[in-house]
Amino acid sequence: MTESGIADLTLSEVAEAIRLRKTSSVEATQACLDRIARFDAALRAFITVDAEGALAAAKAADTSPQPRGPLHGVPLAFKDLCHVRGLPTSCGTKTAEYFSADPECTAVARLRDAGAVVLGKLNMTELALGPFGDNAHHGDVQNPWKPGHAAGGSSSGSAAAVAARLAFGALGSDTGGSIRLPAACCGIVGFKPTYGRVSRAGAMALSWSVDHLGPMTRTVRDCALMLSVIAGHDPRDATSSRRRIGDLLTAVDRPLAGIRVGVPENYYFDGVTAEIDTAVRVAAGTLESAGARVHTLRIPDPATMADVCNIIARCESAVIHARVARERPHELQPAVRSRLEVGFHVPAFDYLQASRLRARLTREFIAEVFGEIDVLLTPTIPEPAPTLDAAKAGTVDEVVTRMGRFSRLTRPFNGLGLPALSLPCGWSTAGVPLAVQVIGRPFDEAGVLAVAAAVERESTQHTRRPPLR
Amino acid sequence: MSEPARQVMVAVAALAGTIERAGADLSLAEEPSNFTSALEQGAPDD
């Protein structure tokens, strides 16, 4: 099979091809490494490429008498805040080994145990604090569909690498939208699972109470496959749930008859561009044609939850990253420094009130919204990926305000802890992807995947290849 | 006060406004850990 032939396979397809020995892990890994060598100098998706380690693991996979698991021999890459044995973890900072953990990140270890090959570590916004994917230390990640446009952040390299077919799948982290925003900007699938569903052990924390890890892939089925491997209780993460996961792969083919889909009347379409508004409503129509019952509803004000989430995240990130913020502030990008600084000035009273409010708002949201519907459908981003110049323009205050606006449709679901998935739903006139967000009940990842797969089935967007040069 | 410091204080004040407005009538029984209970109780039956 040719390099481009292999690269065009989805994660599920390449796993099957390796299992049936139609291709080898070495061929699949070499195809990714060749594309990284050709395209990554411009894309800036990777911080560390472990070509030697990846090829050694691929050779071992090819000579193994038995498949190790469902990802046997499949090359993946990880956001550079997941500690991977033997590789540095910069977290997007100037410091090559900013973070380490022993043992390595649980999600990475589970993927490796399932047979995955580690290609390397992916670029990200410094300390995961920003939604555009610009990085002064490791280069601004470029949108594979349109050079000069933002890849989204903070899991910018994860999204760009998957969209550009440099890896078959990636891990991202999401504290205010950092999986879903870059997935939306780069036209891939990104899934922030329920809080507690996937262990964060061995990944740099930005905010213990709001951080989530999740998969980023080209298709919904691939997302289900990766999530089924990484989900589940982990004694190393005290917040991880013991709740049953269910069969996520079967959910992808589940019929939608009778499923109740809600489209919010308030907040979610305010200030959203007309082409995104239209694309999301078309996706709702697709679900209706597939047998779902779609109706509009008013939801509890997400703006309050976004502020509550911000208070919690700012305070916790200031505590976690106090050392770099206090001892080496000059090393941090100005907007990152400014966002960290807020947390040093929020009174303990407000932090604790925010934590109590979060509990009440979550209980109320679940009771009110999921009494009427099974999933919620909203835009992921209020506008298509901006140019990097536009994202970075102006004063620090203006940049920080722009960051808040861009993540205002994703952040409330970090506070609520609900499973939320972004998938592509069309193209902007400028030629960058549009995206829709599917949100489900707590721990109903299967329901979210079923609805997302129904949207994807009516589209060929995931089969298109970005025009890389 | 420098401009960056002023901007930080404006951000802090805005967030404090939300807490004052939305948190005024929080029940004495409300505690942060109720968040994870809300998720577990809101999940569909296994």
Side-chain angles (χ1 to χ4, degrees):
Chain A
M1 206 176 273
T2 62
E3 174 250 280
S4 65
I6 294 173
D8 278 340
L9 297 176
T10 66
L11 186 157
S12 306
E13 289 167 346
V14 81
E16 177 81 348
I18 292 169
R19 191 177 65 78
L20 297 174
R21 299 200 179 271
K22 290 181 178 171
T23 189
S24 67
S25 177
V26 168
E27 284 176 316
T29 303
Q30 193 61 59
C32 291
L33 292 172
D34 289 348
R35 291 181 67 78
I36 292 167
R38 277 170 67 194
F39 301 120
D40 202 48
L43 277 177
R44 312 303 289 259
F46 277 79
I47 289 178
T48 304
V49 179
D50 183 19
E52 199 179 318
L55 284 171
K59 277 176 195 154
D62 287 340
T63 53
S64 166
Q66 292 291 329
R68 290 191 68 182
L71 298 175
H72 186 80
V74 177
L76 303 178
F78 307 114
K79 186 174 184 177
D80 200 25
L81 53 62
C82 300
H83 187 68
V84 176
R85 193 176 61 223
L87 299 179
T89 304
S90 76
C91 306
T93 68
K94 190 179 178 183
T95 309
E97 304 211 30
Y98 181 82
F99 172 77
S100 68
D102 184 25
E104 70 179 352
C105 173
T106 296
V108 172
R110 288 182 176 177
L111 291 165
R112 215 199 277 272
D113 288 347
V117 166
V118 179
L119 288 167
K121 309 288 293 294
L122 296 159
N123 202 351
M124 55 180 283
T125 312
E126 186 175 33
L127 294 179
L129 272 166
F132 296 117
D134 53 305
N135 187 306
H137 313 297
H138 302 283
D140 297 344
V141 179
Q142 300 289 318
N143 192 309
W145 296 101
K146 192 104 180 172
H149 283 243
S154 65
S155 308
S156 45
S158 302
V162 171
R165 287 126 162 96
L166 310 186
F168 289 94
L171 279 180
S173 70
D174 193 317
T175 306
S178 284
I179 286 174
R180 292 159 287 159
L181 298 171
C185 290
C186 292
I188 65 162
V189 181
F191 199 176
K192 178 202 84 65
T194 310
Y195 184 79
R197 186 55 109 183
V198 172
S199 168
R200 295 92 38 87
M204 177 208 89
L206 179 60
S207 167
W208 306 289
S209 301
V210 198
D211 288 345
H212 303 68
L213 286 190
M216 299 174 74
T217 58
R218 271 183 22 229
T219 69
V220 175
R221 185 177 301 280
D222 293 350
C223 206
L225 178 55
M226 271 187 81
L227 184 59
S228 67
V229 170
I230 61 177
H233 179 68
D234 175 17
R236 291 179 60 215
D237 180 347
T239 67
S240 80
S241 171
R242 292 182 182 274
R243 188 164 282 273
R244 203 174 71 87
I245 299 158
D247 187 347
L248 300 179
L249 286 168
T250 303
V252 172
D253 299 314
R254 190 192 288 173
L256 288 195
I259 295 283
R260 301 168 302 167
V261 177
V263 179
E265 288 173 353
N266 55 319
Y267 187 85
Y268 269 91
F269 291 89
D270 299 345
V272 166
T273 64
E275 53 192 356
I276 289 180
D277 185 312
T278 302
V280 172
R281 294 186 196 282
V282 167
T286 301
L287 294 174
E288 199 154 32
S289 302
R293 284 184 282 150
V294 179
H295 66 97
T296 57
L297 80 168
R298 198 162 182 83
I299 60 173
D301 181 24
T304 304
M305 182 51 104
D307 279 354
V308 161
C309 189
N310 247 329
I311 291 169
I312 295 169
R314 292 289 78 80
C315 291
E316 294 183 0
S317 58
V319 169
I320 295 163
H321 300 291
R323 196 158 172 188
V324 66
R326 287 291 184 241
E327 295 177 8
R328 308 188 306 280
H330 54 279
E331 290 186 3
L332 297 170
Q333 290 174 232
V336 172
R337 195 164 63 227
S338 173
R339 293 183 85 193
L340 273 182
E341 189 64 28
V342 169
F344 291 111
H345 300 277
V346 174
F349 179 85
D350 287 357
Y351 170 74
L352 287 166
Q353 284 289 77
S355 301
R356 297 171 73 218
L357 254 176
R358 180 196 197 191
R360 185 178 79 184
L361 295 173
T362 301
R363 198 169 51 246
E364 290 172 351
F365 189 97
I366 292 169
E368 284 183 37
V369 173
F370 293 112
E372 286 188 53
I373 59 158
D374 300 304
V375 297
L376 199 59
L377 200 70
T378 76
T380 310
I381 43 178
E383 58 178 305
T387 65
L388 279 158
D389 286 345
K392 296 192 290 184
T395 63
V396 171
D397 199 24
E398 288 167 338
V399 171
V400 170
T401 300
R402 189 175 300 127
M403 288 174 166
R405 277 206 309 266
F406 199 65
S407 60
R408 71 184 185 82
L409 308 181
T410 50
R411 186 174 301 280
F413 300 114
N414 292 76
L416 292 163
L418 299 172
L421 178 152
S422 179
L423 81 156
C425 67
W427 301 93
S428 75
T429 47
V432 289
L434 308 176
V436 59
Q437 186 174 213
V438 183
I439 302 98
R441 295 170 193 276
F443 298 103
D444 189 18
E445 279 78 13
V448 171
L449 289 163
V451 169
V455 174
E456 187 183 69
R457 266 195 293 278
E458 298 305 314
S459 165
T460 56
Q461 193 161 352
H462 57 284
T463 64
R464 280 183 60 180
R465 174 193 272 226
L468 301 174
R469 283 185 286 274
Chain B
M1 187 184 283
S2 68
E3 185 54 23
R6 189 195 64 77
Q7 287 163 5
V8 165
M9 297 324 289
V10 168
V12 171
L15 294 172
T18 297
I19 293 299
E20 197 172 325
R21 192 178 59 255
D25 59 346
L26 272 168
S27 148
L28 283 177
E30 197 68 84
E31 57 177 281
S33 63
N34 289 349
F35 165 68
T36 45
S37 306
L39 290 183
E40 293 288 345
Q41 286 163 15
D45 295 334
D46 277 345

PDB file of all heavy atoms in Angstrom, chain A residues 196-218:
ATOM      1  N   GLY A 196     -14.644  12.615  35.002  1.00  0.00           N
ATOM      2  CA  GLY A 196     -14.510  11.362  35.765  1.00  0.00           C
ATOM      3  C   GLY A 196     -14.469  10.126  34.878  1.00  0.00           C
ATOM      4  O   GLY A 196     -14.166   9.040  35.357  1.00  0.00           O
ATOM      5  N   ARG A 197     -14.776  10.275  33.600  1.00  0.00           N
ATOM      6  CA  ARG A 197     -14.830   9.115  32.716  1.00  0.00           C
ATOM      7  C   ARG A 197     -13.433   8.645  32.297  1.00  0.00           C
ATOM      8  O   ARG A 197     -13.173   7.447  32.153  1.00  0.00           O
ATOM      9  CB  ARG A 197     -15.654   9.475  31.470  1.00  0.00           C
ATOM     10  CG  ARG A 197     -15.904   8.338  30.535  1.00  0.00           C
ATOM     11  CD  ARG A 197     -16.558   7.162  31.217  1.00  0.00           C
ATOM     12  NE  ARG A 197     -17.954   6.968  30.832  1.00  0.00           N
ATOM     13  CZ  ARG A 197     -18.726   6.029  31.365  1.00  0.00           C
ATOM     14  NH1 ARG A 197     -18.243   5.224  32.299  1.00  0.00           N
ATOM     15  NH2 ARG A 197     -19.982   5.889  30.988  1.00  0.00           N
ATOM     16  N   VAL A 198     -12.523   9.603  32.069  1.00  0.00           N
ATOM     17  CA  VAL A 198     -11.161   9.268  31.637  1.00  0.00           C
ATOM     18  C   VAL A 198     -10.173   9.827  32.664  1.00  0.00           C
ATOM     19  O   VAL A 198     -10.229  11.013  33.006  1.00  0.00           O
ATOM     20  CB  VAL A 198     -10.852   9.858  30.233  1.00  0.00           C
ATOM     21  CG1 VAL A 198      -9.383   9.676  29.875  1.00  0.00           C
ATOM     22  CG2 VAL A 198     -11.740   9.217  29.178  1.00  0.00           C
ATOM     23  N   SER A 199      -9.297   8.976  33.130  1.00  0.00           N
ATOM     24  CA  SER A 199      -8.304   9.384  34.114  1.00  0.00           C
ATOM     25  C   SER A 199      -7.395  10.484  33.569  1.00  0.00           C
ATOM     26  O   SER A 199      -6.979  10.448  32.420  1.00  0.00           O
ATOM     27  CB  SER A 199      -7.440   8.178  34.481  1.00  0.00           C
ATOM     28  OG  SER A 199      -6.304   8.591  35.217  1.00  0.00           O
ATOM     29  N   ARG A 200      -7.091  11.478  34.430  1.00  0.00           N
ATOM     30  CA  ARG A 200      -6.122  12.515  34.057  1.00  0.00           C
ATOM     31  C   ARG A 200      -4.755  12.254  34.671  1.00  0.00           C
ATOM     32  O   ARG A 200      -3.850  13.077  34.562  1.00  0.00           O
ATOM     33  CB  ARG A 200      -6.601  13.915  34.502  1.00  0.00           C
ATOM     34  CG  ARG A 200      -7.867  14.428  33.840  1.00  0.00           C
ATOM     35  CD  ARG A 200      -9.137  14.097  34.619  1.00  0.00           C
ATOM     36  NE  ARG A 200      -8.998  14.179  36.047  1.00  0.00           N
ATOM     37  CZ  ARG A 200      -9.173  15.319  36.731  1.00  0.00           C
ATOM     38  NH1 ARG A 200      -9.526  16.410  36.138  1.00  0.00           N
ATOM     39  NH2 ARG A 200      -9.043  15.327  38.049  1.00  0.00           N
ATOM     40  N   ALA A 201      -4.595  11.120  35.335  1.00  0.00           N
ATOM     41  CA  ALA A 201      -3.312  10.830  35.998  1.00  0.00           C
ATOM     42  C   ALA A 201      -2.180  10.840  34.978  1.00  0.00           C
ATOM     43  O   ALA A 201      -2.310  10.272  33.897  1.00  0.00           O
ATOM     44  CB  ALA A 201      -3.384   9.473  36.680  1.00  0.00           C
ATOM     45  N   GLY A 202      -1.104  11.504  35.328  1.00  0.00           N
ATOM     46  CA  GLY A 202       0.055  11.551  34.448  1.00  0.00           C
ATOM     47  C   GLY A 202      -0.032  12.609  33.368  1.00  0.00           C
ATOM     48  O   GLY A 202       0.829  12.670  32.490  1.00  0.00           O
ATOM     49  N   ALA A 203      -1.057  13.444  33.423  1.00  0.00           N
ATOM     50  CA  ALA A 203      -1.155  14.587  32.504  1.00  0.00           C
ATOM     51  C   ALA A 203      -1.044  15.864  33.324  1.00  0.00           C
ATOM     52  O   ALA A 203      -1.568  15.928  34.445  1.00  0.00           O
ATOM     53  CB  ALA A 203      -2.479  14.568  31.756  1.00  0.00           C
ATOM     54  N   MET A 204      -0.371  16.873  32.771  1.00  0.00           N
ATOM     55  CA  MET A 204      -0.248  18.149  33.487  1.00  0.00           C
ATOM     56  C   MET A 204      -1.636  18.692  33.796  1.00  0.00           C
ATOM     57  O   MET A 204      -2.510  18.695  32.943  1.00  0.00           O
ATOM     58  CB  MET A 204       0.494  19.178  32.605  1.00  0.00           C
ATOM     59  CG  MET A 204       0.591  20.551  33.238  1.00  0.00           C
ATOM     60  SD  MET A 204       0.678  21.901  32.012  1.00  0.00           S
ATOM     61  CE  MET A 204      -1.068  22.253  31.749  1.00  0.00           C
ATOM     62  N   ALA A 205      -1.816  19.138  35.021  1.00  0.00           N
ATOM     63  CA  ALA A 205      -3.105  19.734  35.390  1.00  0.00           C
ATOM     64  C   ALA A 205      -3.087  21.223  35.073  1.00  0.00           C
ATOM     65  O   ALA A 205      -2.083  21.909  35.266  1.00  0.00           O
ATOM     66  CB  ALA A 205      -3.374  19.512  36.865  1.00  0.00           C
ATOM     67  N   LEU A 206      -4.207  21.704  34.560  1.00  0.00           N
ATOM     68  CA  LEU A 206      -4.418  23.148  34.473  1.00  0.00           C
ATOM     69  C   LEU A 206      -5.421  23.533  35.547  1.00  0.00           C
ATOM     70  O   LEU A 206      -5.305  24.564  36.190  1.00  0.00           O
ATOM     71  CB  LEU A 206      -4.941  23.535  33.077  1.00  0.00           C
ATOM     72  CG  LEU A 206      -5.234  25.016  32.865  1.00  0.00           C
ATOM     73  CD1 LEU A 206      -3.975  25.858  33.065  1.00  0.00           C
ATOM     74  CD2 LEU A 206      -5.797  25.261  31.473  1.00  0.00           C
ATOM     75  N   SER A 207      -6.414  22.663  35.734  1.00  0.00           N
ATOM     76  CA  SER A 207      -7.412  22.881  36.772  1.00  0.00           C
ATOM     77  C   SER A 207      -7.991  21.515  37.143  1.00  0.00           C
ATOM     78  O   SER A 207      -8.734  20.921  36.372  1.00  0.00           O
ATOM     79  CB  SER A 207      -8.519  23.790  36.234  1.00  0.00           C
ATOM     80  OG  SER A 207      -9.629  23.763  37.099  1.00  0.00           O
ATOM     81  N   TRP A 208      -7.657  21.043  38.353  1.00  0.00           N
ATOM     82  CA  TRP A 208      -8.076  19.695  38.752  1.00  0.00           C
ATOM     83  C   TRP A 208      -9.577  19.490  38.613  1.00  0.00           C
ATOM     84  O   TRP A 208     -10.032  18.422  38.269  1.00  0.00           O
ATOM     85  CB  TRP A 208      -7.699  19.423  40.217  1.00  0.00           C
ATOM     86  CG  TRP A 208      -6.271  19.646  40.534  1.00  0.00           C
ATOM     87  CD1 TRP A 208      -5.222  18.869  40.131  1.00  0.00           C
ATOM     88  CD2 TRP A 208      -5.713  20.706  41.320  1.00  0.00           C
ATOM     89  NE1 TRP A 208      -4.051  19.394  40.620  1.00  0.00           N
ATOM     90  CE2 TRP A 208      -4.321  20.500  41.347  1.00  0.00           C
ATOM     91  CE3 TRP A 208      -6.255  21.797  42.004  1.00  0.00           C
ATOM     92  CZ2 TRP A 208      -3.452  21.358  42.029  1.00  0.00           C
ATOM     93  CZ3 TRP A 208      -5.399  22.644  42.676  1.00  0.00           C
ATOM     94  CH2 TRP A 208      -4.020  22.431  42.689  1.00  0.00           C
ATOM     95  N   SER A 209     -10.347  20.541  38.915  1.00  0.00           N
ATOM     96  CA  SER A 209     -11.807  20.393  38.950  1.00  0.00           C
ATOM     97  C   SER A 209     -12.448  20.433  37.578  1.00  0.00           C
ATOM     98  O   SER A 209     -13.618  20.064  37.436  1.00  0.00           O
ATOM     99  CB  SER A 209     -12.425  21.515  39.798  1.00  0.00           C
ATOM    100  OG  SER A 209     -11.910  21.484  41.099  1.00  0.00           O
ATOM    101  N   VAL A 210     -11.736  20.913  36.571  1.00  0.00           N
ATOM    102  CA  VAL A 210     -12.376  21.150  35.273  1.00  0.00           C
ATOM    103  C   VAL A 210     -11.662  20.446  34.118  1.00  0.00           C
ATOM    104  O   VAL A 210     -12.172  20.396  33.012  1.00  0.00           O
ATOM    105  CB  VAL A 210     -12.470  22.675  34.998  1.00  0.00           C
ATOM    106  CG1 VAL A 210     -13.494  22.956  33.915  1.00  0.00           C
ATOM    107  CG2 VAL A 210     -12.855  23.457  36.224  1.00  0.00           C
ATOM    108  N   ASP A 211     -10.469  19.898  34.349  1.00  0.00           N
ATOM    109  CA  ASP A 211      -9.709  19.231  33.283  1.00  0.00           C
ATOM    110  C   ASP A 211     -10.365  17.921  32.839  1.00  0.00           C
ATOM    111  O   ASP A 211     -10.889  17.173  33.667  1.00  0.00           O
ATOM    112  CB  ASP A 211      -8.297  18.856  33.775  1.00  0.00           C
ATOM    113  CG  ASP A 211      -7.383  20.047  33.955  1.00  0.00           C
ATOM    114  OD1 ASP A 211      -7.705  21.121  33.446  1.00  0.00           O
ATOM    115  OD2 ASP A 211      -6.320  19.871  34.590  1.00  0.00           O
ATOM    116  N   HIS A 212     -10.282  17.669  31.546  1.00  0.00           N
ATOM    117  CA  HIS A 212     -10.724  16.384  30.977  1.00  0.00           C
ATOM    118  C   HIS A 212      -9.699  15.970  29.929  1.00  0.00           C
ATOM    119  O   HIS A 212      -9.141  16.821  29.240  1.00  0.00           O
ATOM    120  CB  HIS A 212     -12.054  16.519  30.243  1.00  0.00           C
ATOM    121  CG  HIS A 212     -13.201  17.052  31.046  1.00  0.00           C
ATOM    122  ND1 HIS A 212     -13.270  18.361  31.517  1.00  0.00           N
ATOM    123  CD2 HIS A 212     -14.348  16.461  31.449  1.00  0.00           C
ATOM    124  CE1 HIS A 212     -14.412  18.524  32.182  1.00  0.00           C
ATOM    125  NE2 HIS A 212     -15.083  17.394  32.152  1.00  0.00           N
ATOM    126  N   LEU A 213      -9.480  14.665  29.760  1.00  0.00           N
ATOM    127  CA  LEU A 213      -8.700  14.151  28.629  1.00  0.00           C
ATOM    128  C   LEU A 213      -9.663  13.449  27.677  1.00  0.00           C
ATOM    129  O   LEU A 213     -10.657  12.875  28.119  1.00  0.00           O
ATOM    130  CB  LEU A 213      -7.654  13.121  29.075  1.00  0.00           C
ATOM    131  CG  LEU A 213      -6.406  13.587  29.810  1.00  0.00           C
ATOM    132  CD1 LEU A 213      -5.423  12.415  29.920  1.00  0.00           C
ATOM    133  CD2 LEU A 213      -5.731  14.756  29.136  1.00  0.00           C
ATOM    134  N   GLY A 214      -9.330  13.480  26.379  1.00  0.00           N
ATOM    135  CA  GLY A 214     -10.207  12.798  25.437  1.00  0.00           C
ATOM    136  C   GLY A 214      -9.563  12.584  24.086  1.00  0.00           C
ATOM    137  O   GLY A 214      -8.489  13.125  23.806  1.00  0.00           O
ATOM    138  N   PRO A 215     -10.236  11.781  23.238  1.00  0.00           N
ATOM    139  CA  PRO A 215      -9.684  11.441  21.924  1.00  0.00           C
ATOM    140  C   PRO A 215      -9.978  12.484  20.853  1.00  0.00           C
ATOM    141  O   PRO A 215     -11.003  13.161  20.901  1.00  0.00           O
ATOM    142  CB  PRO A 215     -10.400  10.125  21.594  1.00  0.00           C
ATOM    143  CG  PRO A 215     -11.694  10.195  22.331  1.00  0.00           C
ATOM    144  CD  PRO A 215     -11.485  11.050  23.542  1.00  0.00           C
ATOM    145  N   MET A 216      -9.074  12.556  19.871  1.00  0.00           N
ATOM    146  CA  MET A 216      -9.259  13.418  18.699  1.00  0.00           C
ATOM    147  C   MET A 216      -8.928  12.564  17.471  1.00  0.00           C
ATOM    148  O   MET A 216      -7.823  12.023  17.369  1.00  0.00           O
ATOM    149  CB  MET A 216      -8.349  14.643  18.812  1.00  0.00           C
ATOM    150  CG  MET A 216      -8.680  15.466  20.064  1.00  0.00           C
ATOM    151  SD  MET A 216      -7.558  16.836  20.376  1.00  0.00           S
ATOM    152  CE  MET A 216      -8.092  17.990  19.110  1.00  0.00           C
ATOM    153  N   THR A 217      -9.909  12.425  16.582  1.00  0.00           N
ATOM    154  CA  THR A 217      -9.786  11.484  15.470  1.00  0.00           C
ATOM    155  C   THR A 217     -10.476  12.055  14.231  1.00  0.00           C
ATOM    156  O   THR A 217     -11.123  13.102  14.300  1.00  0.00           O
ATOM    157  CB  THR A 217     -10.477  10.152  15.826  1.00  0.00           C
ATOM    158  OG1 THR A 217     -11.853  10.447  16.135  1.00  0.00           O
ATOM    159  CG2 THR A 217      -9.839   9.464  17.018  1.00  0.00           C
ATOM    160  N   ARG A 218     -10.362  11.331  13.111  1.00  0.00           N
ATOM    161  CA  ARG A 218     -11.023  11.802  11.896  1.00  0.00           C
ATOM    162  C   ARG A 218     -12.488  11.394  11.826  1.00  0.00           C
ATOM    163  O   ARG A 218     -13.277  12.046  11.169  1.00  0.00           O
ATOM    164  CB  ARG A 218     -10.271  11.307  10.667  1.00  0.00           C
ATOM    165  CG  ARG A 218      -9.197  12.286  10.270  1.00  0.00           C
ATOM    166  CD  ARG A 218      -8.423  11.945   9.029  1.00  0.00           C
ATOM    167  NE  ARG A 218      -9.034  11.050   8.105  1.00  0.00           N
ATOM    168  CZ  ARG A 218      -8.415   9.980   7.590  1.00  0.00           C
ATOM    169  NH1 ARG A 218      -7.177   9.709   7.953  1.00  0.00           N
ATOM    170  NH2 ARG A 218      -9.024   9.214   6.723  1.00  0.00           N
TER     171      ARG A 218
END
